[in-house]
Amino acid sequence: MFKRKFCLAALLALLSPAASFALGLGDIHLKSALNAPLDAEIDLVGANAEDLAGLKASLAERDAFTRGGLDYPSFLGPLSFVTEKAADGRNVLHVHSA
């Protein structure tokens, strides 16, 4: 009986989605014009104050691009990522360049 309950509990644990604890990315809102420095906000879906306090976003390292078979464009280097509240109260990741 115990073995059966244990197997059932283990099966339920494996079937429950681990991604339910993940932070999601929503829409991107571009605020800059063509040929101007990048100024965009990416919605953070499901973020609470604790998540935002510990969140550190950055661009992947150059070797990660290489491992993925991608070129690393030089214009990606000076991007800055900051978590903040938008004017309308949304939690966003503010991405901007110099």
Side-chain angles (χ1 to χ4, degrees), residues 4 14 17 37-38 57 59-60 62-63 68 70-71 80 83 86 91 97:
R4 186 174 187 178
L14 290 174
L38 177 65
L59 189 64
R62 189 178 300 263
D63 61 333
L70 302 169
D71 292 330
S80 172
T83 57
N91 292 318
S97 65

Side-chain angles (χ1 to χ4, degrees), residues 21-95:
F21 299 110
L23 180 68
L25 297 178
D27 293 334
I28 184 167
H29 305 276
L30 187 61
K31 296 179 164 187
S32 56
L34 187 62
N35 293 326
L38 177 65
D39 186 15
E41 292 177 343
I42 302 171
D43 293 337
L44 297 174
V45 180
N48 59 31
E50 293 174 7
D51 293 333
L52 295 177
L55 182 65
K56 182 179 181 234
S58 64
L59 189 64
E61 298 292 328
R62 189 178 300 263
D63 61 333
F65 277 78
T66 304
R67 283 193 310 266
L70 302 169
D71 292 330
Y72 185 87
S74 59
F75 63 83
L76 292 180
L79 289 180
S80 172
F81 300 87
V82 179
T83 57
E84 60 189 23
K85 283 245 186 230
D88 60 359
R90 293 175 293 123
N91 292 318
V92 297
L93 179 63
H94 188 188
V95 183

